[in-house]
Amino acid sequence: MGLGLRFNIILATCYVVGLGLSLWPFYQLSRREAIEQLQSQIDVLRAQALSVRRYTSEEIQPLLVDQSSVQFLPQTVPSFSAQTAFRHFREYYPQFFYKEAALNPTNPADLARDWERDLIEKLRANPDLQKDISIRNTDAGPQYTVTYPLTIKNENCLVCHSTPDRAPPSMVALYGNKNGFGWKLNETIGAQIISVPMTIAETNVWRNLLLFVGISSTIFLVLLILLNILLNRYVISPVKRMAKTAEAVSMGDDSVPEFEYPGSDEVASLSRSFNRMRRSLDSAMKMLDK
């Protein structure tokens, strides 16, 4: 096995080991950045929903307060408005999910499903928990899901949700007197659940990983070619010439000129030492001939 081949094997081994050690932290870093992007999407969607809720509460309700005493209008409920607006939003982005699920809602459409109930119960069991993050597997792929507690902080909410006799008669006539009552102040009655797809994020992570491997491999190959050129010029070629000269001298051919390698590096030092040894050998042979 030649010196150049050994050198290339050593470099290739070092590259593979270094690449293997760097892939895992690079993957984790890319995945963390992807999760941060997903969380940013969640924050934007939640801000949009909260804006719709605030607009409904501050702009729509005061205008229709008189009408609501005659006929209950779900459009005046902030939760209804936010979820309705998001349903229109899903016409453009069907892979996104938003729901204000409750354990005991007035509107049956807001009733929490089994997996939503589990999230709500987790928030109820941890009152200090501001949000819960989970990865939910669906038929459309994994979903990055963030759940925010819906807690009764305003006593005005209890007017409609404490007992049926305190609630507006028009609301009771529309939804009945069985659901949406018995809520208490500071109680987490539901959750704001927002999900965004992880498919695009995971695709970007693997694309960045392959791009990293491709770029690093290209740089390694370019450097390997350059190093081989330099190695052949400054090490392998001089050593071969020196070995050829040594072989000729060992066969008794003293007509071969001395090998001169200029410089002050190890190869130059080796050539000078070889030439001194050759002169000493010539001198010794001449003394023996006498």
Side-chain angles (χ1 to χ4, degrees), residues 194-220:
I194 310 173
S195 295
V196 295
M198 293 191 64
T199 306
I200 297 177
E202 290 182 342
T203 301
N204 290 337
V205 169
W206 287 108
R207 183 190 62 188
N208 292 338
L209 196 64
L210 293 176
L211 186 63
F212 170 74
V213 173
I215 293 176
S216 62
S217 299
T218 302
I219 294 175
F220 170 75

Side-chain angles (χ1 to χ4, degrees), residues 161-205:
H161 298 286
S162 57
T163 57
D165 58 297
R166 292 187 59 192
S170 57
M171 187 188 81
V172 177
L174 179 63
Y175 292 113
N177 59 359
K178 302 297 183 182
N179 301 315
F181 300 105
W183 296 5
K184 299 178 181 179
L185 192 64
N186 297 320
E187 178 188 14
T188 299
I189 51 88
Q192 194 177 31
I193 304 172
I194 310 173
S195 295
V196 295
M198 293 191 64
T199 306
I200 297 177
E202 290 182 342
T203 301
N204 290 337
V205 169

Side-chain angles (χ1 to χ4, degrees), residues 128-145:
D128 296 331
L129 191 62
Q130 299 298 316
K131 65 180 179 181
D132 175 71
I133 299 176
S134 59
I135 306 298
R136 186 168 61 90
N137 293 319
T138 67
D139 295 337
Q143 295 273 326
Y144 180 80
T145 303

Side-chain angles (χ1 to χ4, degrees), residues 36-49:
E36 290 176 355
Q37 292 178 355
L38 294 177
Q39 184 61 53
S40 297
Q41 293 178 343
I42 293 285
D43 293 339
V44 171
L45 293 175
R46 185 167 186 251
Q48 181 188 34

